Every structure is written in structure tokens, then in C-alpha cells.
Amino acid sequence: MNILHISKYYFPYMGGVENICKYLVERMPQHKTSVLCFNDKHKDSVTKVNGHDVFRVGTNLNVARQALSLTYYGMMKRALEAVKPEVIQFHWANPFPAIFLRMLMPKEVKLVIHWHMDIVRQWYLYWAVKPWEKWLVKRADRIVVTSPQYRDGSKPLQGVKDKVRIVPNCIEEDHFALQPGDEERIAELKALYGGRPIVFFMGRHTKYKGLPHLIEAERWMQSDCAIVIGGGGPLTKKLKAQAEARGSKRIHFTGRLSDQDLRCYLHAASVFAFPSVTKNEAFGVALAEAMYCHCPAVTFTIEGSGVNWVNLHEVTGIEVPQNADMDKNYAAAVDKLVTDSALREKYAEAAHKRVAENFLMQHMVDAMERVYEEL
């Protein structure tokens, strides 16, 4: 089957949606797969990436994180003529290409919408996007979402659930299995924090990740633990200032980590802190990665998000409701896992098992293949 993926960007650009797109392109050799995406430069280009054609459209402008291009129509037409797809898989939310897809898409071509997320942050522009979103939902032969919760909580999908199928996100198992030299590095990391239990976060420092709640929760934590915050982003300076204002000596920022150090931190940690607070966190790949490394998680309840499908309350970790006492209750949940080793080990084994049985690469690929078979 000839499949054309329409993604916002593509490898070597790294992002959650881009990674999932790459996995589907490269891990399904039974199909001929190509990609149409934006370039992070101004020029159009057509290249091969690991044997797959990638049509990159030069970007002229970005508005509210949406790339815009004067040449998108021409490049989409070129891609359609070259690939002759039987299926187009459109990775949403990426509304600008939908304008040209409606103009150019052949009637006989099947359309799969890969619904990674609702439009939440750019709500003030939703009025302009909604007609194209509505057309995509109506035109789609199948819509895939990453969790039952997202299917049930997404307003645009409420009238078309018969089209919706669950294709969970996944992790690359090989990246998180212990490698030679890891045990020594894990011991070094534990010693770096004085042998205290490590409460670890890894992710981009943006608003929806909820890091201010983790830093605020630290004031309520009674256990003697080290809070280690990995990654970076637009809020890093403010977060460091917040931590300094708190006067705490147990909050540590590591910046970006190598693949080895990320893996070793996840295996070294006693608790994975995942304090995301909105549906922008649609699934939680980083959460699944930590759970695979036998690290139980503390999450917040996020209505309509797959986060609370990945981490099951009092099975693989603890889920904390969002309310007036959420920071204090988050601290209590962390303390419970840090101090109760038997409970922590029980959740850790269940966390690893849940990911191993549901969220590895082959699970996603098999679920996607079932959708293609329906078509």
C-alpha cells in the first residue's frame, strides 16, 4: 500500500509527533511510505531519509506555532503526483496543510487522521481552524487517537466515534534496557545526591508540564529526597528563580541529558515526577519510558488525557486530583512512594509490566496495521 504521511516536521527534527511519524514510516516495510512536511528552512527540498522520500516545504512564517508557506500547494501537488498514495495519513494538529489537502486530495484516496491532540493552547485562533478541522473529521475514513480517554474527551470527535480507533504511542525498548557501564553510572548518580532517593523529572520546561507545582510541592515533602529536574525550555529561568526563592537545597537542575544519562537517571530514580496539568499532555511518552525502567510515577488527574491511562492509580503509581490542595497532596504522594519501599517496588513491577504489554513499538505498529487492513 502506498501511504503518504503529512506531518508538521520530520526527522532530523525531533518532537513527539515527528518521532511517532518516523516510527510508522520506518517500521512498516510492508508498505511504501513517504512524508510531506515543513522544512525548518526557507527552501523546498526533496530528499531520501533511510530510503523514504521526504518532501519538505520551505517555511516563510510561524504564527502561534503554525508554520506557513507560500509553496505548500505546489509541493503537495508534487508529492501526490510522485507518490500516488492509496492512503494519506494526516498528523493533527497541523491545520495549514488541510487547506490544500481539501483542494487536491483525490476522491478515491483513503484518509486517516492521526489525532495526536486537540487544539488547546491556540484556542484564540480556533475559530479560523475549526472549518478545516470539521472537514477533516467528516472526510476521514478512520481517525486514530492515542488513548480511550482522548477519544472520549475530545469534543470534535464526539459524533464520529465509529471511525475512531486506538493506536497507542510507544517507546523504543532498546533505548531503556540497561547497557554495559550503566550500573557504574547509576551508582555515581546516586552518590551525587548523597544516597538520598531521587525524584526525577524529564521534559520540556513549558507551562502545561506543571513544573511550578512540583517546585511548590517540595515545601510540603517530609521525606529526605533529592528532586532532580532534567531538560530545559522557555520557563527554565523562571523555574530556577522559583526554586531559589524557596531556598531549597534539594532541587537540582541538570539541563539536557545524554541518552545514557537519561536512561541511568530513570533506573536510579525512586519516583518519576510527571506533574503535567492540561490536555496538551495527550499521552506521556516520557512517562511510559520511566515506567519501563521500573520507576513508579506521580501524576495529576487530567480530564480527557491519556496520562491517566498510561499510569494507573494505585497500580503503577499515584494519581493526584487537581484542586486547591493539589501541591500538598502531590507532596504526600511522593513521600508515600519514597518511604514505603514495599509499595514502591510493587508499583515499579506493575509499571514495567504495563508498558511491556501495551506501549512498545510493536504494539503501535500492530494497531496501525489493523487500521490499514480495515481500509
Side-chain angles (χ1 to χ4, degrees):
M1 187 179 288
N2 285 354
I3 301 170
L4 176 65
H5 288 262
I6 300 179
S7 178
K8 190 172 183 180
Y9 295 102
Y10 192 70
F11 184 84
Y13 183 97
M14 303 297 288
V17 172
E18 289 74 22
N19 287 344
I20 295 301
C21 181
K22 182 174 183 287
Y23 297 155
L24 294 174
V25 168
E26 296 190 353
R27 302 300 179 96
M28 304 188 77
Q30 65 271 39
H31 303 295
K32 181 181 178 182
T33 48
S34 306
V35 181
L36 173 65
C37 64
F38 285 103
N39 199 343
D40 57 1
K41 302 177 178 62
H42 295 305
K43 294 182 179 181
D44 298 339
S45 70
V46 181
T47 60
K48 282 194 179 291
V49 177
N50 297 329
H52 301 270
D53 290 328
V54 178
F55 299 80
R56 299 186 196 269
V57 185
T59 299
N60 301 109
L61 185 67
N62 271 278
V63 177
R65 302 189 69 185
Q66 172 65 70
L68 304 174
S69 174
L70 296 173
T71 58
Y72 208 104
Y73 178 93
M75 284 295 285
M76 179 179 283
K77 186 175 181 180
R78 181 178 176 183
L80 290 172
E81 290 173 350
V83 176
K84 295 180 174 57
E86 297 163 272
V87 174
I88 290 176
Q89 188 150 342
F90 192 104
H91 294 264
W92 184 262
N94 182 25
F96 183 72
I99 300 170
F100 306 105
L101 187 64
R102 185 170 187 177
M103 297 178 189
L104 294 170
M105 186 170 180
K107 291 182 179 180
E108 69 276 10
V109 175
K110 301 293 185 181
L111 179 62
V112 175
I113 307 301
H114 203 130
W115 198 277
H116 294 275
M117 66 197 78
D118 294 346
I119 293 175
V120 179
R121 290 183 64 184
Q122 296 83 5
W123 57 267
Y124 52 90
L125 292 175
Y126 187 56
W127 61 270
V129 172
K130 189 174 181 179
W132 307 104
E133 179 186 79
K134 187 176 180 180
W135 173 79
L136 283 169
V137 169
K138 183 178 180 180
R139 174 63 176 81
D141 296 278
R142 291 291 183 272
I143 300 169
V144 301
V145 297
T146 55
S147 71
Q149 282 76 358
Y150 221 89
R151 173 197 61 200
D152 297 340
S154 176
K155 290 183 180 179
L157 304 182
Q158 291 312 295
V160 294
K161 287 187 179 180
D162 57 315
K163 296 182 181 182
V164 178
R165 302 292 182 268
I166 308 302
V167 177
N169 285 347
C170 67
I171 72 165
E172 291 201 81
E173 181 179 9
D174 293 345
H175 288 186
F176 297 95
L178 288 172
Q179 305 294 323
D182 282 357
E183 294 287 358
E184 292 81 2
R185 182 56 178 155
I186 290 169
E188 290 176 1
L189 293 175
K190 289 181 177 181
L192 181 63
Y193 302 103
R196 292 178 293 166
I198 296 171
V199 178
F200 183 57
F201 167 91
M202 169 50 70
R204 187 160 166 76
H205 299 178
T206 57
K207 187 175 180 180
Y208 74 87
K209 291 291 185 179
L211 279 166
H213 294 286
L214 175 60
I215 293 172
E216 184 61 24
E218 184 270 341
R219 78 162 67 218
W220 303 100
M221 292 180 191
Q222 301 299 310
S223 55
D224 183 21
C225 61
I227 300 170
V228 181
I229 298 175
L235 296 185
T236 302
K237 288 184 179 180
K238 287 185 178 180
L239 293 169
K240 287 182 176 180
Q242 181 187 358
E244 289 172 5
R246 288 275 304 106
S248 173
K249 296 185 182 297
R250 60 177 173 178
I251 299 177
H252 309 270
F253 291 82
T254 69
R256 296 188 65 177
L257 297 173
S258 67
D259 289 346
Q260 183 195 18
D261 267 357
L262 171 58
R263 180 174 63 249
C264 291
Y265 264 110
L266 291 174
H267 282 281
S270 297
V271 177
F272 188 66
F274 199 74
S276 296
V277 289
T278 76
K279 277 182 66 178
N280 289 91
E281 194 69 79
F283 183 84
V285 171
L287 172 62
E289 292 169 348
M291 290 167 58
Y292 186 75
C293 296
H294 295 84
C295 190
V298 178
T299 57
F300 283 121
T301 303
I302 309 173
E303 185 177 353
S305 167
V307 166
N308 308 124
W309 182 56
V310 178
N311 180 42
L312 301 179
H313 180 51
E314 295 184 342
V315 176
T316 63
I318 299 176
E319 177 185 324
V320 177
Q322 295 194 50
N323 55 35
D325 295 321
M326 59 194 289
D327 297 340
K328 187 175 182 179
N329 293 337
Y330 197 91
V334 170
D335 282 340
K336 186 174 184 179
L337 289 178
V338 167
T339 58
D340 190 336
S341 59
L343 181 67
R344 184 174 68 250
E345 289 172 9
K346 177 183 175 183
Y347 288 175
E349 287 301 318
H352 175 80
K353 183 179 179 181
R354 177 149 180 79
V355 177
E357 293 181 350
N358 295 279
F359 306 130
L360 301 183
M361 187 74 66
Q362 197 59 46
H363 299 121
M364 181 182 72
V365 167
D366 289 346
M368 195 69 245
E369 180 61 19
R370 288 193 291 270
V371 175
Y372 294 151
E373 288 174 355
E374 288 185 21
L375 297 179

